[in-house]
């Protein structure tokens, strides 16, 4: 069974004419292999993406996708809780009484906003965070 954890690189017409071979120690190989696996990439693809980052510490394409997914999850939560809060507000306006689940919904909303802010703080480029 093939132990590759990542996806294959896209095919290049005519093939990839260049090949890179390198030697490393067992601990270095094990560390690189673990990092590649954590990133969801094959070891060669991990080395290529790491080397081609715009600047040291920049995110790989895989990391960018992961953060975009996290942001989408939070946004979906905000949309859903917003819908629920609107329904509760409509019921409160019609009956004059606050719905039973309002405090729980507001707590969930505040938790989701905090999570959203955490994601935004994590992905904001250095020096661009609002005070």
């Amino acid at each position: 069974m093939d132990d590759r954890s990542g996806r294959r690189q896209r095919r290049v017409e005519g093939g990839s004419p260049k090949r890179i071979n390198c030697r490393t120690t067992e601990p270095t190989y094990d560390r690189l292999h673990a990092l590649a696996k954590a990133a969801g990439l094959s070891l060669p693809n991990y080395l290529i993406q790491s080397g081609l980052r715009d600047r040291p510490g920049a995110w790989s394409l895989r990391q960018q996708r992961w953060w975009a997914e996290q942001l989408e999850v939070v946004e979906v939560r905000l949309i859903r809780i917003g819908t629920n809060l609107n329904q509760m507000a409509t019921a409160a306006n019609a009956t004059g009484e606050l719905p039973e689940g309002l405090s729980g919904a507001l707590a969930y909303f505040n938790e989701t906003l905090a999570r959203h802010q955490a994601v935004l703080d994590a992905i904001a480029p250095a020096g661009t965070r609002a005070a």
Side-chain angles (χ1 to χ4, degrees), residues 56-93:
W59 292 344
S60 69
L61 184 58
R62 172 74 69 177
Q63 289 168 315
Q64 291 173 26
R65 287 182 190 146
W66 187 84
W67 278 110
E69 289 171 9
Q70 295 303 304
L71 191 56
E72 187 174 327
V73 165
V74 174
E75 289 173 348
V76 167
R77 286 179 68 174
L78 284 171
I79 290 168
R80 288 179 179 164
I81 192 64
T83 300
N84 290 342
L85 288 173
N86 283 337
Q87 291 170 350
M88 289 181 182
T90 300
N93 287 333

Side-chain angles (χ1 to χ4, degrees), residues 39-121:
L41 300 169
S42 66
L43 182 54
N45 197 11
Y46 175 79
L47 292 172
I48 290 167
Q49 285 202 26
S50 295
L52 295 178
R53 291 182 183 162
D54 291 338
R55 61 190 189 286
W59 292 344
S60 69
L61 184 58
R62 172 74 69 177
Q63 289 168 315
Q64 291 173 26
R65 287 182 190 146
W66 187 84
W67 278 110
E69 289 171 9
Q70 295 303 304
L71 191 56
E72 187 174 327
V73 165
V74 174
E75 289 173 348
V76 167
R77 286 179 68 174
L78 284 171
I79 290 168
R80 288 179 179 164
I81 192 64
T83 300
N84 290 342
L85 288 173
N86 283 337
Q87 291 170 350
M88 289 181 182
T90 300
N93 287 333
T95 65
E97 297 179 12
L98 294 179
E100 198 174 295
L102 182 61
S103 62
L106 287 173
Y108 182 80
F109 179 73
N110 287 329
E111 173 193 319
T112 302
L113 279 178
R115 186 172 176 185
H116 192 262
Q117 188 61 52
V119 171
L120 291 175
D121 288 345

